[in-house]
Amino acid sequence: MNLEFVLQYEAFEQAMQGYRTLQPRRDHILTVIDFTLPSTEKRMVVLDMKNEKVLYHTIVSHGRNSGDKYARSFSNRHGSYQSSLGFYETENTYQGGNGYSLVLNGLEKGINDQAKSRAVVIHGADYCSESFIKSTGRLGRSYGCPALPRNVNKPIINTIKEGTLLYIYADNPEYMASTKIVHAVDERGLLAQNDVGIDSLGTLN
């Protein structure tokens, strides 16, 4: 699994910190969304940690009040219509107003712990598509949900549901000042400091 052109190192490193600390129930899958990228690029990566494979690499929408082409503002507040950063545990699926959807439980108090009550879920959306990008120059935006293209929504949800870890990254100083899970590490420092158990993932970088 070569992530050089799929996921930037800082996003992967921080996601790995949470993966080791939080020890998700279903630890064979790790999902990372990189909101430093514009919505016209593939910002969601679903990783098979056991078999060292990239399962999905796709576009994903952000909240309408987080920004236009780039997500720059984030909130945990009800009615903000902004995306929230940090670590989430995936829960159950359901059929809602946006079709097949996946409940997300925000794991970081004050950062994303209102996600479930805000109904921030993964769902499919017509405004998350390559055709929408071609017509507007960016993706459409949600009320705060990480919305996916309809053609990959169901398979991705079925892959990551019920206890896997999702990390939404944005290189955001406010998040770094508030999180108790992610700590600043020198470049490539995480892998150097965690030799034990990382051998099988050495090809990730």
Side-chain angles (χ1 to χ4, degrees), residues 13-130:
E13 178 185 71
Q14 291 185 15
M16 283 298 296
Q17 288 187 48
Y19 177 80
R20 292 171 177 277
T21 300
L22 297 167
Q23 299 181 345
R25 286 185 290 124
R26 295 182 64 223
D27 64 356
H28 63 294
I29 299 293
L30 175 63
T31 304
V32 185
I33 295 174
D34 183 355
F35 276 158
T36 65
L37 299 175
S39 65
T40 51
E41 295 187 26
K42 295 179 178 180
R43 303 187 289 184
M44 174 186 272
V45 183
V46 180
L47 303 174
D48 181 335
M49 303 299 285
K50 292 290 190 286
N51 297 306
E52 301 181 18
K53 293 180 180 179
V54 175
L55 300 179
Y56 296 97
H57 186 206
T58 183
I59 53 178
V60 60
S61 293
H62 57 257
R64 72 181 191 187
N65 287 339
S66 282
D68 292 327
K69 190 173 182 178
Y70 287 87
R72 302 191 188 279
S73 301
F74 307 95
S75 176
N76 194 36
R77 290 184 297 103
H78 289 257
S80 68
Y81 297 148
Q82 293 182 1
S83 299
S84 301
L85 300 178
F87 289 92
Y88 300 78
E89 181 183 29
T90 63
E91 294 193 349
N92 58 291
T93 63
Y94 67 97
Q95 287 287 342
N98 291 302
Y100 193 53
S101 304
L102 175 64
V103 175
L104 298 176
N105 180 28
L107 301 177
E108 301 198 63
K109 187 174 182 179
I111 297 173
N112 62 19
D113 61 330
Q114 297 300 307
K116 192 185 295 190
S117 60
R118 289 176 61 203
V120 172
V121 301
I122 292 178
H123 63 79
D126 293 333
Y127 56 74
C128 185
S129 66
E130 295 292 345

Side-chain angles (χ1 to χ4, degrees), residues 155-170:
I156 287 180
I157 285 178
N158 285 339
T159 299
I160 71 174
K161 66 182 180 180
E162 297 173 351
T164 71
L165 198 64
L166 163 69
Y167 180 53
I168 301 182
Y169 167 80

Side-chain angles (χ1 to χ4, degrees), residues 166-193:
L166 163 69
Y167 180 53
I168 301 182
Y169 167 80
D171 190 24
N172 181 268
E174 288 80 10
Y175 172 73
M176 291 300 294
S178 301
T179 182
K180 299 185 184 331
I181 298 172
V182 174
H183 306 283
V185 178
D186 290 339
E187 185 178 1
R188 306 194 71 80
L190 179 69
L191 297 185
Q193 292 175 21

